[in-house]
């Protein structure tokens, strides 16, 4: 037992160290190499539209809803600007969607769309995560992170940013990495 702190110390150092985000396949999303520029980005995320053909959620016998690939349209303004489709996945949420019934919930999913960054336009694809908590003013206070890679005119650009807390419109800030 007296050696336990020495055994846990290396694990703690590794766990708390500066680690790069990874994609779902565990490959690094950011591979900073010599010659890469890292610039701050910021702006606003606006809710644009809910497509009319939303699939109903899967409802369990206990009254919990599971939402898979539910699309939503959002718009980024600021340093990165354009229209993006998010594909929401939320599981084990009370079907009433009443904050008093739900408490907090988490969501995640892929996103893609065409954006402009520093005068270059291209497609970005990535993943997002969110945690939402009940809020007496806005009903929900949500905040999350997004990571994306660019293609086309944004080939080689990688984005990592945080947004929230609050509700639409969200402020976002983060970094873009490119050559």
């Amino acid at each position: 037992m007296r050696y336990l702190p020495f055994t846990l110390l290396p694990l703690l150092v590794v766990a708390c160290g500066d680690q790069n985000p990874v994609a779902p396949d565990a490959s690094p999303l950011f591979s900073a190499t010599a010659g890469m520029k890292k610039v701050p980005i910021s702006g606003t995320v606006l809710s644009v539209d809910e497509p009319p053909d939303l699939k109903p959620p899967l409802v369990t016998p206990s009254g919990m809803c599971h939402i898979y690939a539910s699309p939503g349209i959002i718009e980024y303004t600021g340093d990165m600007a354009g229209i993006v489709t998010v594909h929401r996945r939320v599981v084990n949420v009370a079907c009433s969607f009443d904050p008093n019934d739900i408490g907090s919930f988490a969501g995640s999913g892929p996103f893609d769309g065409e954006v402009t960054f520093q005068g270059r336009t291209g497609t970005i694809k990535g993943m997002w995560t969110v945690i939402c908590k009940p809020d007496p003013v806005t009903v929900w206070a949500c905040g999350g992170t997004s990571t994306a890679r660019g293609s086309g005119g944004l080939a080689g650009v990688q984005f990592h940013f945080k947004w929230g807390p609050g509700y639409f419109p969200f402020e976002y800030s983060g970094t873009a990495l490119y050559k």
Side-chain angles (χ1 to χ4, degrees):
M1 187 69 175
R2 75 177 181 193
Y3 296 107
L4 185 59
F6 296 108
T7 305
L8 292 177
L9 183 60
L11 293 174
L12 183 60
V13 169
V14 169
C16 295
D18 187 21
Q19 298 181 9
N20 291 325
V22 294
D25 66 358
S27 64
L29 280 176
F30 294 93
S31 52
T33 59
M36 296 292 281
K37 294 180 184 177
K38 183 177 180 179
V39 298
I41 58 172
S42 63
T44 304
V45 182
L46 307 167
S47 177
V48 175
D49 196 14
E50 294 287 329
D53 59 345
L54 290 177
K55 296 179 190 175
L58 172 67
V59 181
T60 66
S62 65
M64 298 301 283
C65 281
H66 300 269
I67 303 164
Y68 298 99
S70 172
I73 312 292
I74 60 173
E75 180 179 6
Y76 288 97
T77 65
D79 295 325
M80 180 182 72
I83 303 292
V84 172
T85 301
V86 295
H87 305 277
R88 296 167 289 206
R89 182 185 67 191
V90 179
V91 296
N92 290 328
V93 65
C95 293
S96 69
F97 289 96
D98 181 331
N100 296 320
D101 294 339
I102 296 174
S104 299
F105 70 92
S108 64
F111 68 94
D112 56 80
E114 189 170 288
V115 300
T116 300
F117 170 68
Q118 293 190 341
R120 298 164 50 189
T121 300
T123 300
I124 60 169
K125 291 183 180 188
M127 293 294 292
W128 61 273
T129 60
V130 66
I131 295 177
C132 294
K133 299 175 182 179
D135 183 77
V137 175
T138 62
V139 181
W140 295 108
C142 302
T145 61
S146 299
T147 55
R149 290 181 177 170
S151 61
L154 293 174
V157 181
Q158 300 172 25
F159 299 93
H160 177 76
F161 50 96
K162 295 180 181 183
W163 40 274
Y167 204 68
F168 288 107
F170 292 105
E171 299 297 317
Y172 75 84
S173 64
T175 57
L177 205 62
Y178 65 96
K179 286 189 176 191

